[in-house]
Amino acid sequence: MRRIFFLLLLYIFSTSFLFAQADCHYTLKIKVVDEQHKTVLPGAVVRITNTNKINETDVNGIATFESLCSDSYEVIISFLSYHTISQKIELQSNKTITFELSPSVKNIANVTILSERTSVQSTMSKIELKGIDLEKTRGLSLADALKEIPGVTTLQTGPTISKPIIQGMHSNRILIINNGIRQEGQQWGAEHAPEIDAFIANKLTVIKGAGSIKYGSDAIGGVILVEPNPLTDSSGIHGELNLVGISNGKQGVGSGILEGKLKKIPLSWRVQGTFKKAGNIKTPDYYLANSGFEEKNFSWATQYASKKFKTELFYSQFNTDIGVFKGAHIGNLTDLEKAFNASTPFYTSGFDYKIDRPKQHVEHELFKSKSDYVFNEKSKLSLVLARQYNLRDEFDKDLPLNDSLAALNKPELHYEITTYTTDATYQHSFTDKLTSSIGFNSIQQVNTYEGRAFIPNFINNNYALYSIHQYKLEKIMFDFGVRYDYEYLKIYQWKSNSVLYSPERTFTNLSFNTGFDWDINKKLSYHLNVGTAFRAPSVNELYGSGLHHGEGKFIYSNENMKPEKAKAIITGIELQNFKRISGHLDFYYKQMDGYIFLKPTFPATLSIRGAFPSFQYEQRDAYFTGMDAWLHYEITEHLKSTHKINIVRAYNTNDNTYLPYIPSDRFENGLKYEFKETKHFKESSVDLHVLYVAKQTRVEANSDYKEAPNAYFLLNADAGTSIHIGKQHYEFGMSINNILNTTYREYMNAFRYFTDEPGRSVVLRFKYHF
Amino acid sequence: MKIENRKSLVYLMLIVAISTILTSCKKDNNDVTKPSDINEGELITTVQFRIVDTDSPYVEHIFSYRDVDGLGGNAPVIDTIKLDTGKIYSVTLLFLDESKNPIDTISNEVLAESKDHLVIYETPSTSLQITINDFDTNNPALPLGLLSSWTTSAVANTTLKVTLKHQPGIKNGDPTRGETDVEVTLPVSIK
């Protein structure tokens, strides 16, 4: 830890030696709308505290402030019969910010998460990716876009399948909340990417903490919120079109949104769709055979909002076919050793869009209804109901030898999982300072399989009650939340002697979370959060024994495992133009009782196909600790440096060994030049950054088939501008990834045993708003 | 009811109607309480050697490596291949799926796709020499390995490893290529 502190100090000092007076020519426009109706609010009073400037919103609901300096300001907005809100704003360019006022009912949905608000208040550490930072990631998968956020890395299975890792944890220890709904698919698998179209999101938020009181105490790693824009508040038809071209894989992406509101009735609507197609990815030296994919997504939403009642319907569909690199779909131990020792994979190819076996076909469908009812100035009820259906087909490399079986071309593995979720919350403000809410969650899930037996059929139901309290003083906010979980699991599994094995399991737990957020001054705030989390062992850990063909592993589950329990402390500071530094700095320590992980076992499992490397689920006490930072330093008005640090340490305290498959240390440093805004050209910038990823040296000797890959440097660049002509605007962007065409392998990629990472790629982005 | 309220109700109903049309929810038609048969799909349970002494061609000796319940579960049953010294044997190799009724002879499919398959025989002993007698449909033809001649010399207790490689489109005689469909090792006793 001492070394981490030292590094950090070095960082801050090395980047805080320049001072100069910024000029004061910025314009800030504040738009105020009603949270329920999304209608503009003329006559609202907008105050900027440290300048004593006061202005009223005009007929369009906009208050304009001119000649502001590059500084951070506190904006306070008040309007009769609405709640006053205040928020800090960091001004470095001309900005228009929309605020939503709620009609005298405080909106604290929970401690951890407050969606649909410009200012989210919670004592957990939270980082958002939106605006220009999000636009830079357009065309990437959800997990790859999230990688922009420090503390988040990815677990890869080749170049096209990636899952987010938060502070060293992934899969069942992360919750993804897609438009308010807990994403439920086959998320246990390392090679099962989240089934979400990243274009739906207007904002991605990562909440680093242990357990979420509102969404589930199993979020030991954290929560990811995927949030679309609120439905439009102005009548007429609007939309946007995104086009992205990526040179590596010759990938084309098109995504569009069309939205509007009826004139006379408060009814808003939106339709959205995305199409992606990519062919074989190229490493610096060779193509990866069968690494293309095709994705087709579609969603629609509609909302009816009256004074006291608001209801929203949302439907989305995600469909993808992903080719799995042929050279990584290996057989037994002998094949594995041969593949490891091959300098280039046995299967290489030229460029092709064709998706062949081995492949995955995944469908995900979500249908959601959300209703809010405002009783009076102090109370509000909301009810969210959703149904999710997830289908996953996995096709082995080879068709069956038997011709009649082969002709069917069936997937060797087929899962269907249907999930119904309910979330009811009642919120009440006792005083101006104290707001409380109580809520109920339920998850009812049914899974079935066809083909090879691995995950059995099961019914999994979870019921939870929670209560959250928030006490807010002028400079400090406290929160406290408590949650009770009851989980029921019933399995339907054939034993080898054709006897149906059908055990029933129940797990219960009480978890809590508390913390405070202290605004020391306008530029510096400090937060501390402590809490407990709990995760019942999942079906794959308890009952998923068998050959995992995609990974060539034989896995032994362990039905005697207990729930995993965590105690966590997370603390950090947030800077807003503090000595020209802005950003986040977080430290965490998570103590895990009965951490569940896969451990290699010997001897390998013998079969007619040879020996297979074998793994057994084990439970050990462990800790996770580390630091993430995302700091911006304003060197001059136009030139900024960006620094990201990501450090995780994970240790098994029972056996005194390092935990395997933990991301290595990474540091990213960048320089960004922002051009002066003109009438037609806005947000123009060029940006060059260097990513350094250290070698993972914290692995036990002889615990892996191949040594962890070496450290690597990657040089990447971005450039972008936005052209405004009248009401329309066009955004252009370009990125070059891996400029030097560096050959490297990443420890957190399951295919690091077989192949290099992708080589240089040029990305062109175009966006049109109307 | 006020007119406004009635109007909203109509619109609400309209939304529900439109959304039902737009949304054809996908459904899982399987019964969770009746998991699908685990034996579905293709399985090689047995590697069988049919061995004929060329001096007495009317007697066939059968030795096998059997793992009828597939991967995991019960351990495989492994025969010791018993041979006499100084003989020449003609051997036919069969791959079977004995979990099916009737038994599925998978080696017929291997033969049909001979251009993508290769059987490899490996033994550490010099007392057993194995020559492959059949060839595939590649041009030029490459060895296949379902039919072979085994020549024994001195007394030995040794082992024989048999590997079936699937080499779709990449077969070139190199035994290291492709994916392993079968890899078994049996004890051999030459007396």
Side-chain angles (χ1 to χ4, degrees):
Chain A
M1 276 320 268
R2 195 182 292 168
R3 254 171 73 191
I4 298 172
F5 270 113
F6 179 71
L7 274 172
L8 178 78
L9 284 176
L10 204 69
Y11 241 84
I12 292 173
F13 283 114
S14 64
T15 52
S16 57
F17 55 89
L18 272 167
F19 284 89
Q21 187 59 50
D23 49 353
C24 301
H25 61 86
Y26 296 123
T27 303
L28 175 67
K29 289 187 176 178
I30 303 288
K31 186 176 181 187
V32 183
V33 300
D34 179 289
E35 189 205 54
Q36 306 283 316
H37 305 263
K38 312 292 177 202
T39 48
V40 298
L41 297 174
V45 178
V46 182
R47 208 148 45 92
I48 298 181
T49 51
N50 33 349
T51 62
N52 289 324
K53 290 188 180 183
I54 297 183
N55 219 333
E56 263 187 20
T57 54
D58 61 13
V59 284
N60 298 317
I62 294 170
T64 308
F65 296 91
E66 279 169 342
S67 317
L68 292 176
C69 306
S70 169
D71 199 348
S72 91
Y73 296 102
E74 187 177 23
V75 177
I76 298 177
I77 301 159
S78 48
F79 193 46
L80 195 67
S81 82
Y82 282 86
H83 257 285
T84 299
I85 60 173
S86 69
Q87 196 188 320
K88 276 192 253 170
I89 290 169
E90 201 200 331
L91 203 64
Q92 280 141 0
S93 58
N94 294 335
K95 265 187 183 167
T96 302
I97 302 172
T98 303
F99 285 91
E100 296 182 11
L101 294 194
S102 57
S104 292
V105 171
K106 267 194 189 166
N107 186 354
I108 65 135
N110 54 78
V111 173
T112 55
I113 288 142
L114 278 160
S115 53
E116 299 185 49
R117 277 291 296 265
T118 42
S119 60
V120 177
Q121 290 175 326
S122 140
T123 64
M124 278 189 169
S125 172
K126 168 190 68 69
I127 299 187
E128 290 175 352
L129 188 68
K130 59 184 177 186
I132 197 165
D133 290 326
L134 181 65
E135 294 306 329
K136 262 186 356 195
T137 69
R138 289 306 189 194
L140 300 182
S141 72
L142 179 70
D144 286 326
L146 286 163
K147 217 157 52 168
E148 282 293 306
I149 296 178
V152 182
T153 52
T154 52
L155 181 67
Q156 302 273 145
T157 304
T160 47
I161 300 174
S162 53
K163 302 190 74 167
I165 304 176
I166 302 176
Q167 294 177 337
M169 295 185 188
H170 59 84
S171 301
N172 284 322
R173 295 184 186 92
I174 283 186
L175 287 185
I176 300 180
I177 309 298
N178 179 16
N179 196 0
I181 304 298
R182 181 183 157 126
Q183 179 81 5
E184 285 289 338
Q186 303 285 355
Q187 66 263 45
W188 51 270
E191 80 288 28
H192 303 169
E195 308 89 346
I196 294 173
D197 179 5
F199 278 103
I200 283 183
N202 174 56
K203 185 166 85 181
L204 297 171
T205 308
V206 171
I207 297 166
K208 303 169 192 170
S212 156
I213 295 294
K214 182 171 168 65
Y215 291 110
S217 55
D218 46 349
I220 297 171
V223 181
I224 293 163
L225 303 181
V226 179
E227 291 169 284
N229 242 343
L231 284 161
T232 181
D233 55 356
S234 50
S235 50
I237 292 176
H238 304 273
E240 66 177 55
L241 176 71
N242 281 284
L243 296 173
V244 183
I246 302 174
S247 69
N248 198 343
K250 296 185 181 139
Q251 190 183 150
V253 180
S255 183
I257 291 177
L258 208 59
E259 60 186 352
K261 190 186 153 231
L262 302 187
K263 259 190 181 147
K264 288 182 178 164
I265 315 111
L267 187 76
S268 317
W269 56 272
R270 175 185 292 153
V271 288
Q272 180 266 353
T274 300
F275 179 76
K276 292 185 183 180
K277 190 163 180 69
N280 290 348
I281 300 284
K282 195 174 187 251
T283 71
D285 302 313
Y286 46 84
Y287 280 99
L288 301 181
N290 199 43
S291 58
F293 73 95
E294 186 177 310
E295 197 180 295
K296 286 171 278 193
N297 310 318
F298 160 74
S299 76
W300 60 259
T302 177
Q303 177 184 280
Y304 176 86
S306 73
K307 198 158 194 175
K308 289 203 155 188
F309 180 67
K310 180 168 96 174
T311 187
E312 179 198 324
L313 291 175
F314 176 81
Y315 173 83
S316 69
Q317 226 185 65
F318 174 94
N319 302 286
T320 187
D321 286 285
I322 309 173
V324 177
F325 171 51
K326 277 193 178 183
H329 213 260
I330 39 89
N332 63 18
L333 208 56
T334 321
D335 295 358
L336 199 64
E337 277 163 10
K338 280 176 184 150
F340 290 167
N341 297 326
S343 57
T344 54
F346 291 126
Y347 292 90
T348 53
S349 69
F351 179 80
D352 201 338
Y353 278 113
K354 196 170 168 249
I355 299 166
D356 209 347
R357 283 169 171 257
K359 65 174 179 179
Q360 300 181 353
H361 170 77
V362 181
E363 297 173 16
H364 194 92
E365 186 189 63
L366 165 65
F367 187 40
K368 158 196 150 173
S369 111
K370 179 175 191 281
S371 305
D372 294 303
Y373 186 80
V374 179
F375 291 97
N376 54 42
E377 291 192 341
K378 289 183 171 166
S379 322
K380 178 177 156 179
L381 180 72
S382 57
L383 178 69
V384 186
L385 302 169
R387 177 189 186 270
Q388 288 175 82
Y389 168 83
N390 184 291
L391 178 147
R392 163 170 284 274
D393 282 340
E394 292 186 11
F395 297 79
D396 287 357
K397 182 154 75 185
D398 301 317
L399 282 164
L401 289 166
N402 182 311
D403 288 339
S404 53
L405 279 177
L408 297 172
N409 196 12
K410 276 174 85 172
E412 276 64 33
L413 209 64
H414 170 93
Y415 294 127
E416 286 176 84
I417 189 162
T418 313
T419 313
Y420 290 88
T421 52
T422 313
D423 183 9
T425 324
Y426 176 73
Q427 202 179 88
H428 186 80
S429 298
F430 291 98
T431 67
D432 267 1
K433 290 183 178 124
L434 178 67
T435 305
S436 297
S437 64
I438 53 167
F440 166 76
N441 285 162
S442 76
I443 302 171
Q444 284 156 303
Q445 196 165 62
V446 171
N447 180 72
T448 67
Y449 76 89
E450 284 169 45
R452 189 187 299 125
F454 185 65
I455 297 290
N457 282 10
F458 66 83
I459 294 172
N460 190 7
N461 295 336
N462 182 293
Y463 303 96
L465 275 174
Y466 62 88
S467 178
I468 295 161
H469 310 274
Q470 194 177 80
Y471 190 74
K472 206 181 165 199
L473 295 167
E474 197 188 338
K475 289 209 156 184
I476 193 159
M477 192 258 286
F478 297 91
D479 62 14
F480 176 76
V482 59
R483 177 182 173 102
Y484 175 77
D485 277 279
Y486 171 85
E487 187 160 340
Y488 168 84
L489 180 66
K490 183 160 187 178
I491 300 294
Y492 299 91
Q493 185 174 37
W494 289 114
K495 286 283 167 190
S496 49
N497 49 4
S498 299
V499 172
L500 190 65
Y501 181 55
S502 199
E504 279 180 300
R505 307 289 296 269
T506 57
F507 303 98
T508 59
N509 190 65
L510 192 68
S511 38
F512 84 95
N513 191 296
T514 187
F516 68 87
D517 194 339
W518 176 29
D519 291 337
I520 298 168
N521 57 44
K522 289 189 175 114
K523 295 182 171 182
L524 183 65
S525 71
Y526 172 77
H527 59 87
L528 175 78
N529 183 284
V530 291
T532 63
F534 142 95
R535 185 179 73 87
S538 53
V539 178
N540 62 309
E541 293 161 344
L542 292 169
Y543 299 102
S545 282
L547 179 66
H548 199 294
H549 207 281
E551 296 179 284
K553 285 177 182 171
F554 197 90
I555 290 170
Y556 292 94
S557 56
N558 178 356
E559 64 176 303
N560 298 317
M561 290 193 297
K562 295 184 197 70
E564 196 174 86
K565 290 190 174 183
K567 294 189 261 308
I569 176 161
I570 292 146
T571 185
I573 54 170
E574 210 181 313
L575 306 161
Q576 299 247 5
N577 205 3
F578 178 80
K579 297 205 189 282
R580 297 171 159 251
I581 302 171
S582 301
H584 301 258
L585 180 62
D586 290 312
F587 297 90
Y588 58 93
Y589 183 87
K590 297 177 185 180
Q591 173 67 48
M592 310 277 297
D593 296 335
Y595 176 76
I596 298 170
F597 66 107
L598 269 181
K599 196 180 172 185
T601 52
F602 300 97
T605 302
L606 195 64
S607 83
I608 208 144
R609 291 178 53 199
F612 283 90
S614 301
F615 294 82
Q616 164 93 47
Y617 277 105
E618 293 266 2
Q619 263 192 310
R620 290 286 186 273
D621 294 342
Y623 69 78
F624 280 70
T625 185
M627 180 192 89
D628 353 287
W630 190 4
L631 299 169
H632 307 272
Y633 178 69
E634 202 182 305
I635 300 167
T636 69
E637 189 193 337
H638 294 293
L639 190 64
K640 283 178 191 170
S641 66
T642 304
H643 312 272
K644 294 185 194 175
I645 309 171
N646 217 359
I647 293 168
V648 189
R649 298 283 177 272
Y651 202 68
N652 169 346
T653 50
N654 287 142
D655 305 331
N656 291 319
T657 53
Y658 291 107
L659 287 176
Y661 310 116
I662 299 298
S664 58
D665 298 344
R666 55 195 66 209
F667 306 89
E668 194 174 335
N669 294 295
L671 265 184
K672 185 179 185 183
Y673 186 83
E674 291 175 351
F675 294 93
K676 205 166 190 161
E677 298 208 337
T678 66
K679 194 182 168 206
H680 295 299
F681 288 90
K682 294 191 167 134
E683 294 184 314
S684 314
S685 64
V686 287
D687 169 1
L688 191 69
H689 41 275
V690 182
L691 173 70
Y692 172 73
V693 177
K695 178 176 175 169
Q696 183 52 284
T697 51
R698 287 159 202 89
V699 285
E700 298 298 320
N702 304 320
S703 68
D704 205 338
Y705 304 111
K706 209 172 176 178
E707 202 192 348
N710 287 328
Y712 60 89
F713 272 106
L714 287 184
L715 186 64
N716 303 314
D718 286 299
T721 185
S722 141
I723 302 170
H724 293 246
I725 302 164
K727 275 195 168 179
Q728 302 179 334
H729 74 268
Y730 306 87
E731 284 170 29
F732 294 91
M734 182 170 117
S735 304
I736 310 172
N737 300 322
N738 193 1
I739 295 174
L740 303 176
N741 212 18
T742 306
T743 301
Y744 68 103
R745 294 189 182 199
E746 163 58 47
Y747 180 66
M748 297 306 288
N749 189 339
F751 286 5
R752 70 178 159 93
Y753 300 112
F754 317 108
T755 171
D756 298 332
E757 293 286 330
R760 184 187 301 126
S761 185
V762 179
V763 184
L764 290 173
R765 290 181 300 272
F766 167 72
K767 184 175 182 172
Y768 170 54
H769 284 276
F770 58 92
Chain B
M1 199 185 242
K2 274 193 218 164
I3 291 174
E4 259 178 47
N5 282 355
R6 207 177 296 161
K7 234 181 180 177
S8 352
L9 202 71
V10 170
Y11 280 111
L12 269 180
M13 282 164 65
L14 206 70
I15 300 169
V16 173
I18 293 168
S19 47
T20 322
I21 296 162
L22 282 170
T23 311
S24 52
C25 282
K26 296 171 185 173
K27 246 184 103 180
D28 180 1
N29 294 314
N30 293 326
D31 182 353
V32 66
T33 61
K34 295 187 182 72
S36 78
D37 188 354
I38 49 170
N39 289 327
E40 200 181 305
E42 195 171 65
L43 192 67
I44 297 175
T45 63
T46 308
V47 179
Q48 199 174 78
F49 300 88
R50 295 187 171 231
I51 300 180
V52 177
D53 178 354
T54 47
D55 294 341
S56 47
Y58 302 107
V59 186
E60 191 177 57
H61 303 276
I62 297 177
F63 302 102
S64 57
Y65 182 113
R66 298 176 74 216
D67 190 7
V68 182
D69 66 349
L71 193 59
N74 297 323
V77 177
I78 307 165
D79 292 344
T80 298
I81 300 174
K82 290 177 182 135
L83 304 171
D84 294 331
T85 54
K87 294 273 186 188
I88 298 172
Y89 295 94
S90 164
V91 182
T92 305
L93 180 67
L94 293 177
F95 299 114
L96 306 172
D97 181 358
E98 294 191 81
S99 68
K100 300 288 187 297
N101 190 10
I103 291 170
D104 191 1
T105 307
I106 304 216
S107 38
N108 291 340
E109 326 287 350
V110 173
L111 185 62
E113 287 179 24
S114 62
K115 67 177 177 50
D116 294 333
H117 286 92
L118 174 64
V119 181
I120 304 146
Y121 297 87
E122 292 164 274
T123 172
S125 170
T126 49
S127 296
L128 180 62
Q129 299 291 332
I130 296 177
T131 315
I132 289 173
N133 291 337
D134 54 348
F135 290 87
D136 65 14
T137 55
N138 281 309
N139 189 13
L142 297 164
L144 174 60
L146 293 175
L147 302 174
S148 55
S149 295
W150 298 8
T151 308
T152 56
S153 46
V155 171
N157 277 316
T158 181
T159 57
L160 173 66
K161 181 174 164 191
V162 176
T163 310
L164 171 65
K165 282 281 188 183
H166 190 194
Q167 305 175 323
I170 56 168
K171 185 170 174 179
N172 67 354
D174 177 358
T176 62
R177 298 190 146 217
E179 193 178 355
T180 306
D181 282 347
V182 169
E183 184 185 301
V184 294
T185 302
L186 293 89
V188 179
S189 163
I190 304 170
K191 279 181 185 166

